């Protein structure tokens, strides 16, 4: 009998929000999915999952590509190429599916999470979840050739996991090791891999071929994918995914409500926001060149002030 | 021959010098001009931010704050230019009547979208950081801190095209407000036979809903 748990779907939707707003790393979600696949009593094997994914994708491809505007209208053609969404009709169907899921399941749960727990609990839960994403961040920092950031990630993980009691407290930021974004999608972009067309994945949300591959790589890099076995471990994994889903979705309640209520075409607005946000994250990483001198070193030795994560465009 | 060549070479040297002087002069004027407009943009944004925070964090009821915010938008944002940008290539195809009516509606939508959020900005702290020139204007970067929110990087794009500095875009964490809006409108138009009239009607509807929700 095919067992299909609704509880597994939120992970993907969260991924969509992760990607759309860069709230955290993709690894957390993918790790959960992998645990799900490895669980002994799972009725669906990895092969079946892959097969179903292929079927979904093929169905999407079959359900039609966007019709390019006639060549006689160069402005429209330019816009079509810039939008780079050749699978728009299929993407829109999947968007509608994810929205329904969000309306009836994820959003109500996120509201309960927000209203039931005090801000301080939610904040520290967020810190603990972010701490678990640091190994992936660290590896990507190194592949991105950003030694300062790799040092930040490494020290954040060490200090917050110990002094910060398993990541519940973010003491590292005060010590001069601030948080930043790093993921395999960005790493691939810095190595010159183009984004490719916009793809709206079922469950996973806004993506592109490059980001999709990045998500897979992050999950491979993540040590939490590989450590631990057995039912208790799997259940802990579920708990983590469930909580990160609620953590992320609840932090976006107001923002997403605003987008969907103020946009004439929420699908296109999210596509635009997602693209711009990813692009700016990548450019920030590309231009980040702060020295590896720590915060407590004399100020004169450091480069002129640069906000961590700010774009590298400076006044000349 | 020598006598005739000498004055010629003098002339050309004088020309060359004059040319250099002109180029140097132009360059200096240009960079001075760029610096001056960058400085005026920074001064303008510092003033705008001070006014903004005093309205949002100040005393007064929500409607009073919304009215204060609207006054700031009217004075400091080049709404017409933002509206034209958001309509993109359809601005040229729209009839003068449509252009007029679109700008009116756009104005209302922009104002109501911003003023409806006035409550959420309470406790906001904006610190101006660096200023740099971009091909479409001058960017004044700022760090926006709100209680219980991670600090956000917000860039303000300033244009002096109208003779005085005015805001033409807000770029929050790398996402441009006017570009997102333009993509929204163009997607709407492409699904409605590129009919600007339909867009105007939809914007009208939107204002009605936002006002109702308030």
């Amino acid at each position: 009998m095919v067992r299909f748990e609704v509880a597994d779907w939120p992970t993907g939707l969260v991924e969509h929000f992760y990607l759309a707003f860069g709230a955290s790393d993709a690894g957390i979600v993918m790790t959960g999915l992998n645990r799900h696949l490895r669980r002994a009593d799972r009725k669906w094997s990895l092969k079946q999952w892959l097969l179903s994914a292929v079927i979904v994708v093929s169905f999407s491809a079959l359900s039609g590509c966007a019709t390019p505007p006639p060549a006689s209208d160069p402005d429209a053609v330019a816009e079509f190429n810039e939008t780079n969404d050749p699978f728009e009709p299929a993407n829109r169907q999947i968007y509608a599916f994810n929205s329904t899921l969000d309306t009836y399941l994820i959003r109500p749960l996120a509201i309960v999470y927000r209203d039931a727990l005090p801000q301080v609990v939610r904040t520290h839960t967020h810190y603990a979840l972010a701490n678990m994403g640091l190994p992936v961040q660290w590896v990507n920092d190194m592949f991105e050739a950003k030694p300062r950031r790799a040092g930040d990630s490494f020290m954040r993980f060490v200090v917050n996991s110990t002094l910060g009691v398993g990541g519940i407290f973010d003491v590292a930021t005060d010590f001069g090791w601030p948080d930043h974004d790093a993921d395999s999608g960005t790493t691939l972009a810095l190595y010159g891999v183009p984004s490719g067309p916009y793809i709206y994945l079922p469950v996973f949300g806004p993506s592109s071929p490059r980001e999709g591959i990045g998500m897979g790589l992050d999950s491979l890099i993540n040590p939490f994918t590989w450590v631990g076995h057995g039912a208790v471990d799997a259940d802990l994994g579920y708990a983590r995914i469930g909580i990160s889903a609620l953590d992320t979705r609840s932090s976006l309640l107001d923002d997403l409500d605003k987008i969907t209520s103020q946009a004439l075409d929420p699908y296109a607005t999210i596509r635009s926001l997602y693209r711009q946000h990813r692009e700016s994250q990548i450019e920030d990483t590309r231009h980040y060149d702060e020295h590896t001198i720590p915060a407590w070193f004399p100020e004169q030795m450091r480069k002129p002030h640069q906000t961590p994560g700010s774009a590298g465009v400076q006044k000349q | 021959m020598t006598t005739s060549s000498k004055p010629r070479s003098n002339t050309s040297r004088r020309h060359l010098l004059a040319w250099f002087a002109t180029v140097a002069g132009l360059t200096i004027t240009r960079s001075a001009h760029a610096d001056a407009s960058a400085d005026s943009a920074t001064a303008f944004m510092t003033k705008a931010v001070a006014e903004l925070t005093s309205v949002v964090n100040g005393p007064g009821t929500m409607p009073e704050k919304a009215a204060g915010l609207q006054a700031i938008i009217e004075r400091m944002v080049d709404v017409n230019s933002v509206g034209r940008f958001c309509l993109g290539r359809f601005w040229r195809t729209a009839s003068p009547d449509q252009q007029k009516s679109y700008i009116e509606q756009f104005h209302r939508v922009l104002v109501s979208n911003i003023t409806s959020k006035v409550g959420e900005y309470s406790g906001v702290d904006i610190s101006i950081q660096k200023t740099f020139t971009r091909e479409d204007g001058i960017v004044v970067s700022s760090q926006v801190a709100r209680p219980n929110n991670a600090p956000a990087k917000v860039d303000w794009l300033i244009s002096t095209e109208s003779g005085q500095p005015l805001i033409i875009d807000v770029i929050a964490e790398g996402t441009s407000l006017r570009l997102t809006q333009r993509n929204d409108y163009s997607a709407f138009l492409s699904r409605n036979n590129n009919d600007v009239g339909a867009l105007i009607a939809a914007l009208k509807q939107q204002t009605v809903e936002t006002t109702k929700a308030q």
Side-chain angles (χ1 to χ4, degrees):
Chain A
M1 194 189 95
V2 174
R3 207 173 95 190
F4 205 77
E5 291 184 358
V6 179
D8 296 328
W9 286 93
T11 60
L13 207 76
V14 166
E15 182 54 36
H16 144 133
F17 298 125
Y18 273 138
L19 290 172
F21 297 92
S24 187
D25 70 311
I28 292 178
V29 173
M30 287 303 284
T31 309
L33 207 60
N34 282 334
R35 278 167 194 278
H36 173 84
L37 297 176
R38 284 192 290 117
R39 201 170 166 177
D41 62 353
R42 194 60 39 212
K43 291 291 188 284
W44 272 29
S45 70
L46 177 62
K47 214 185 273 175
Q48 282 167 310
W49 268 95
L50 284 175
L51 195 67
S52 59
V54 169
I55 291 168
V56 168
V57 171
S58 328
F59 168 75
S60 311
L62 281 173
S63 68
C65 292
T67 322
S72 55
D73 191 349
D75 282 346
V77 173
E79 191 178 275
F80 180 82
N81 292 336
E82 198 188 324
T83 308
N84 197 8
D85 189 1
F87 309 113
E88 186 169 336
N91 281 344
R92 278 189 187 268
Q93 283 180 16
I94 300 163
Y95 172 79
F97 168 76
N98 283 9
S99 304
T100 311
L101 193 72
D102 184 62
T103 309
Y104 292 105
L105 187 73
I106 325 300
R107 191 172 170 276
L109 283 175
I111 292 173
V112 171
Y113 177 81
R114 182 187 62 182
D115 296 344
L117 294 173
Q119 176 75 48
V120 63
V121 173
R122 283 180 283 135
T123 302
H124 292 289
T125 307
H126 177 80
Y127 288 156
L129 292 167
N131 192 52
M132 297 185 89
L134 283 170
V136 173
Q137 213 167 294
W138 175 63
V139 171
N140 279 305
D141 289 332
M142 291 198 291
F143 276 110
E144 286 164 9
K146 304 290 172 190
R148 173 66 192 245
R149 285 188 160 186
D152 285 349
S153 294
F154 184 80
M155 289 314 292
R156 283 182 69 76
F157 191 66
V158 169
V159 171
N160 283 351
S161 299
T162 52
L163 280 178
V165 200
I168 296 171
F169 297 95
D170 177 14
V171 279
T173 299
D174 297 333
F175 287 175
W177 294 298
D179 197 12
H180 60 264
D181 296 309
D183 58 80
S184 293
T186 307
T187 308
L188 288 173
L190 295 192
Y191 280 81
V193 177
S195 157
Y198 186 65
I199 294 178
Y200 201 94
L201 295 172
V203 181
F204 289 93
S207 194
S208 73
R210 182 182 68 202
E211 301 303 329
I213 292 167
M215 266 159 57
L217 288 175
D218 279 342
S219 122
L220 289 176
I221 294 167
N222 197 336
F224 295 104
T225 309
W226 308 105
V227 295
H229 292 283
V232 174
D233 179 70
D235 287 340
L236 283 175
Y238 286 142
R240 186 158 64 90
I241 298 150
I243 298 165
S244 25
L246 294 173
D247 169 51
T248 311
R249 186 60 183 91
S250 65
S251 70
L252 295 169
L253 277 170
D254 294 336
D255 290 340
L256 273 170
D257 284 356
K258 241 171 272 164
I259 292 169
T260 42
S261 70
Q262 292 184 353
L264 296 178
D265 188 337
Y267 168 83
T269 301
I270 287 175
R271 177 176 65 198
S272 174
L273 285 171
Y274 166 74
R275 283 250 181 80
Q276 291 184 59
H277 188 79
R278 278 306 280 170
E279 201 48 45
S280 108
Q281 271 184 327
I282 291 165
E283 287 314 303
D284 277 0
T285 307
R286 195 192 304 280
H287 293 110
Y288 182 88
D289 60 350
E290 199 156 322
H291 282 188
T292 47
I293 298 167
W296 44 262
F297 217 72
E299 196 61 30
Q300 303 90 289
M301 300 296 288
R302 292 156 62 76
K303 283 192 59 153
H305 177 71
Q306 191 180 19
T307 327
S310 72
V313 197
Q314 301 270 352
K315 187 186 170 185
Q316 295 298 317
Chain B
M1 246 184 114
T2 33
T3 43
S4 65
S5 74
K6 210 170 180 186
R8 236 201 336 263
S9 95
N10 266 345
T11 319
S12 59
R13 198 176 300 144
R14 259 203 307 277
H15 276 165
L16 202 66
L17 276 173
W19 185 78
F20 267 123
T22 318
V23 169
L26 277 178
T27 319
I28 291 165
T29 332
R30 272 189 67 175
S31 71
H33 177 68
D35 274 352
S37 42
D39 288 344
S40 75
T42 314
F44 164 77
M45 261 329 287
T46 312
K47 190 166 160 273
V49 159
E51 284 185 28
L52 200 75
T53 42
S54 78
V55 165
V56 172
N57 299 335
T61 58
M62 283 304 158
E64 280 169 12
K65 286 186 184 187
L69 204 56
Q70 179 169 356
I72 294 175
I73 298 167
E74 307 286 358
R75 255 185 304 126
M76 302 200 155
V77 180
D78 193 344
V79 182
N80 293 356
S81 145
V82 180
R84 273 198 305 276
F85 180 91
C86 291
L87 199 55
R89 64 195 172 91
F90 298 99
W91 178 259
R92 290 195 306 275
T93 55
S95 69
D97 276 353
Q98 283 180 323
Q99 288 182 347
K100 190 168 161 274
S101 142
Y102 160 78
I103 287 289
E104 268 169 31
Q105 283 309 320
F106 182 82
H107 210 107
R108 288 205 189 107
V109 167
L110 187 84
V111 167
S112 74
N113 278 355
I114 297 172
T115 53
S116 66
K117 291 181 209 158
V118 69
E120 297 158 32
Y121 299 133
S122 178
V124 74
D125 179 58
I126 308 171
S127 59
I128 301 284
Q129 296 180 328
K130 58 182 190 250
T131 302
F132 55 90
T133 313
R134 221 169 69 169
E135 52 185 62
D136 51 355
I138 300 155
V139 178
V140 179
S141 288
S142 73
Q143 184 96 6
V144 175
R146 277 194 296 156
N148 297 325
N149 278 286
K153 187 181 147 242
V154 177
D155 288 348
W156 310 80
L157 184 63
I158 314 286
S159 163
T160 47
E161 237 171 58
S162 62
Q164 52 172 333
L166 286 172
I167 300 168
I168 54 165
D169 195 11
V170 182
I171 305 135
E173 290 289 339
T175 55
S176 148
L177 209 68
R178 62 172 186 168
L179 185 59
T180 310
Q181 201 71 41
R182 173 145 92 175
N183 290 336
D184 184 28
Y185 289 177
S186 79
F188 177 89
L189 284 163
S190 73
R191 292 163 70 77
N192 287 280
N193 303 317
N194 295 344
D195 176 10
V196 178
L199 178 74
I200 296 167
L203 291 178
K204 258 184 205 153
Q205 184 59 31
Q206 212 180 17
T207 331
V208 172
E209 276 163 25
T210 322
T211 325
K212 243 189 257 169
Q214 268 177 300

